[in-house]
Structures are given as structure tokens and as C-alpha cells.
Amino acid sequence: MSVRKIIAVLAVSLTAVAGVALYAGAASAARQGHGSVTMTVQSRSLDVLAAPCGGRPLVVDLANSGSEGAYVDVFITPERPLVTSHDVISTYVPPNDNVVLRAQISAPLGSAGGTHDVSLRLGPRGHRQQTAVTVTPKPSGPGANLALGGPVSASSTHGNFHACGGVDGNTDSEDWSTRTGWNDGTRAVFPDTYTVEFGGPQPINRIVLYTLDSARYPAARYGLRDFDVQVLGSGDEWTTVSSVRGNITGRLEISPDPVVSTTSVRIVALASNSGDYSRIVELEVYQDS
């Protein structure tokens, strides 16, 4: 049996079987009782960070064991403050085949910590089931990574990546193929910029940058070579606090002296060792004391 993966996001392990509406012919008239579709959500719990980049995917598998294809709807209803990228996902599930759906579950910046439910339903009258989603507030204060979860912006982003990948908490370059990290979208065109904001002035005394550096993609060949680290001043002007040239390492730590207070930190990528793209695996910003 072939497996078709259609991208669309969800996380929780629950299984629901329902007779779902089938649509056939030019008029797409609904019929009941043709085929059997099973919905399986792949994990029992989901943890999200209350930040613009703190959402997590909820992944659902739809399996049709029937002899006829089925058009189905998966309804997703999150309890506040949770937000879903899709209220309903509609898809066609071929006979004796599978379809994978994805929906993003997130919580707005400023949300309090706690556990909330996401309700899922297969079809308009299907059995309703729930999963628990734990919300963690965005870290703040001394010792916290202020960049974690964003918000972030970039001059451009490659279609295989997402700007949020550079503040998702994953510093492992070996996971680059899973789309963690940020990769700009303008091949061999520099400079590129990657910016994280804090929502208000924060004292900053340490910035850690991870550029691509794995066994397959070493920093000396694929990492950032030349870049500036800048902070936004009260007059909306960017000030360079560190200039790095000729870098061949995967992790760099910058300590502004004296400590600066800023609302944003920006990396201005001037060149990479590969000469094609700017690559940031993770950007961390700290107020250590």
C-alpha cells in the first residue's frame, strides 16, 4: 500500500474512526457510508512556547481502509489562549491509502502558563476527542535566552526553511535537514539580515551565534564568514557592537562592553564560506546579570 504525505499541522495520540462523507461526480454530491477512514494523532501531548515562533506541529494520519476514496474534513478547535493555523483541513484520502495532515498549534506572546485542550473531530458529526497542550511563558529576566521564540524577521528566507528556525531552541547543526535554522533566499547576494526583537528595552551582555557546522556541512566551508552584530538604539539607529571576519567556527560568543540596552539584535551577514547563502542555526541573546 502506498503512502501519500500531504502537508497541512497537529500533536497528540488519539484514534477516531468515523463513517465520513464521500463526494463523487461533477456535482460532488455527498454520500454516507462509503469507506472507512481512521484518524490517528501521533503524540499524547504537546508543549508550546507563548511566543511568535513557539508553536509546534500537530500531526495527524488519515488511513482509508475502504475500497472507495473519501473526501474528509478534520475540525480543530483550540481552547483559549491556544491558536491553530487551520480551523478545518479538508483532503481526499484515496482507497487503501494514507494522508498525513499538519496544523500548527501556538499561543500568543504574553499568554500565561498552563494546560489547555485542543478538540479534534473527523467529519461534521464525528466523535470529538481532545488532547492536552501545555503552554510555557516566554523566558525573561537574568539568565534567560531573550531571543527564544522570537519575534524574528529576515531580509529573505529560502523556501525550504522558516525564519523561526533560528530561534527555536535547537542548536544542533546535525538537524539542519529537518528545517531547523535559517537560510536566506538570495543566492550569492549579500548582505543578508536576521533580526530578533524583545518587545521593549532589555540589557544585553551576551550574544551567541551558531552557524552551520555539521560533519557533512562544516563551518569552514558552509558557515558564516564575515558578519556584524548590531543593536537598535533609542533613535532607531543600528549600532555595530561586534564585527567578525574570517570565521571558520560553528559557535561564536559576543559580549558587548559596556552592556547595552536595546529592543532588537540584528546579524548582518556579509559573506559565507561557501559564497552562496547565509546560514544561522540559532541566535541566542542573554541578560546574564
Side-chain angles (χ1 to χ4, degrees):
M1 180 177 68
S2 64
V3 177
R4 178 179 303 178
K5 300 199 176 200
I6 298 178
I7 294 182
V9 174
L10 291 213
V12 219
S13 192
L14 53 91
T15 301
V17 179
V20 295
L22 261 163
Y23 302 88
S28 296
R31 298 183 295 162
Q32 296 287 341
H34 293 269
S36 179
V37 174
T38 300
M39 178 175 72
T40 302
V41 188
Q42 294 182 356
S43 59
R44 294 185 179 277
S45 63
L46 190 65
D47 296 322
V48 302
L49 181 70
C53 294
R56 290 294 180 264
L58 196 58
V59 182
V60 172
D61 182 84
L62 300 177
N64 185 1
S65 60
S67 59
E68 296 187 45
Y71 283 97
V72 302
D73 296 325
V74 175
F75 296 89
I76 308 165
T77 306
E79 183 181 35
R80 292 185 178 180
L82 299 177
V83 178
T84 176
S85 59
H86 299 79
D87 297 312
V88 58
I89 302 176
S90 301
T91 188
Y92 174 74
V93 187
N96 297 309
D97 207 346
N98 293 60
V99 167
V100 174
L101 306 178
R102 292 182 173 87
Q104 191 83 350
I105 304 298
S106 58
L109 185 65
S111 299
T115 300
H116 309 276
D117 292 328
V118 173
S119 178
L120 300 107
R121 192 173 75 248
L122 181 61
R125 291 176 294 278
H127 181 64
R128 184 186 297 271
Q129 299 196 35
Q130 293 180 328
T131 182
V133 177
T134 300
V135 176
T136 300
K138 181 179 169 68
S140 61
N145 173 14
L146 303 176
L148 185 64
V152 294
S153 59
S155 54
S156 67
T157 301
H158 193 285
N160 291 338
F161 293 84
H162 193 287
C164 285
V167 291
D168 63 359
N170 188 345
T171 63
D172 191 349
S173 287
E174 298 295 342
D175 292 336
W176 188 251
S177 60
T178 66
R179 303 176 79 176
T180 187
W182 167 75
N183 196 114
D184 85 278
T186 56
R187 181 182 177 88
V189 177
F190 296 90
D192 303 305
T193 60
Y194 187 81
T195 306
V196 60
E197 302 175 24
F198 311 125
Q202 297 286 345
I204 303 302
N205 62 355
R206 187 162 61 97
I207 300 163
V208 183
L209 177 72
Y210 294 82
T211 187
L212 184 58
D213 186 28
S214 66
R216 183 177 181 182
Y217 302 110
R221 184 173 179 185
Y222 293 96
L224 284 183
R225 187 188 74 196
D226 304 331
F227 62 92
D228 291 338
V229 180
Q230 298 182 335
V231 298
L232 188 62
S234 58
D236 290 335
E237 295 181 353
W238 290 98
T239 299
T240 299
V241 295
S242 180
S243 294
V244 176
R245 300 293 184 267
N247 174 61
I248 57 172
T249 63
R251 181 185 185 276
L252 300 98
E253 188 167 316
I254 295 99
S255 298
D257 187 17
V259 174
V260 296
S261 180
T262 183
T263 60
S264 303
V265 169
R266 180 170 77 173
I267 304 299
V268 181
L270 304 173
S272 66
N273 287 313
S274 59
D276 51 7
Y277 291 113
S278 298
R279 302 176 178 94
I280 294 176
V281 172
E282 191 76 6
L283 176 62
E284 300 175 344
V285 180
Y286 293 95
Q287 173 196 344
D288 285 333
S289 60

